[in-house]
């Protein structure tokens, strides 16, 4: 190796990861309904408990919040048939429950809404 030093960063706590998620959503102009926030905390707690040495910390939280925002925007677009998208800035529990994790890849995926094949 070219580097003779190693930088070691402690994992964020569940409370810190929750704060990061809320901040990331606020940065995008979104908030969380109380029941959606509880679901998010449950996810973060579960992920934190099951983490391994490759756990991505805030990267995982970013993926979750991006999936929430994308799912919320998709759901909003679907319900505004007149073509005018009016964003609902409060992410609901229903939106959070639409987001799934692929057990094989660990990637966050939204469940199918809208068009069916």
């Amino acid at each position: 190796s070219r580097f003779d030093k190693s930088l070691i960063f402690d994992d964020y706590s569940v409370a810190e990861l929750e704060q990061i998620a809320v901040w990331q959503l606020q940065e995008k102009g979104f908030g969380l309904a109380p029941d959606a926030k509880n679901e998010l905390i449950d996810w973060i707690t579960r992920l934190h408990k099951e983490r391994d040495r490759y756990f991505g910390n805030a990267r995982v939280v970013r993926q979750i919040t991006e999936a929430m925002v994308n799912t919320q925007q998709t759901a909003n677009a679907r319900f505004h048939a007149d073509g005018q998208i009016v964003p609902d800035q409060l992410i609901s529990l229903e939106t959070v429950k639409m987001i799934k994790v692929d057990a094989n890849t660990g990637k966050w995926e939204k469940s199918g809404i809208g068009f069916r094949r």
Side-chain angles (χ1 to χ4, degrees):
S1 174
R2 294 182 184 174
F3 301 101
D4 60 352
K5 307 255 188 252
S6 294
L7 298 176
I8 303 197
F9 296 95
D10 291 331
D11 287 340
Y12 289 112
S13 69
V14 171
E16 290 169 325
L17 291 171
E18 174 195 346
Q19 289 175 340
I20 291 168
V22 169
W23 175 80
Q24 288 175 345
L25 289 169
Q26 286 174 345
E27 284 290 305
K28 294 179 183 197
F30 286 86
L32 282 167
D35 52 356
K37 186 173 184 179
N38 290 336
E39 184 75 10
L40 173 66
I41 293 167
D42 288 347
W43 277 354
I44 291 171
T45 301
R46 201 167 37 250
L47 288 168
H48 195 268
K49 186 183 221 179
E50 297 170 1
R51 72 188 185 280
D52 61 14
R53 66 185 224 164
Y54 302 108
F55 180 62
N57 263 327
R59 179 185 66 222
V60 172
V61 171
R62 178 184 49 80
Q63 291 169 340
I64 293 170
T65 58
E66 286 176 354
M68 286 180 176
V69 168
N70 290 338
T71 302
Q72 184 79 9
Q73 290 173 334
T74 301
N76 287 341
R78 179 176 171 220
F79 292 117
H80 296 287
D82 61 359
Q84 190 174 21
I85 297 174
V86 180
D88 183 352
Q89 304 298 355
L90 190 64
I91 294 176
S92 68
L93 178 60
E94 290 77 23
T95 296
V96 173
K97 287 189 171 194
M98 284 188 219
I99 301 166
K100 304 291 181 203
V101 179
D102 183 310
N104 296 320
T105 66
K107 292 186 179 181
W108 296 90
E109 300 175 358
K110 64 181 172 69
S111 63
I113 59 173
F115 302 106
R116 290 189 176 156
R117 295 182 182 180

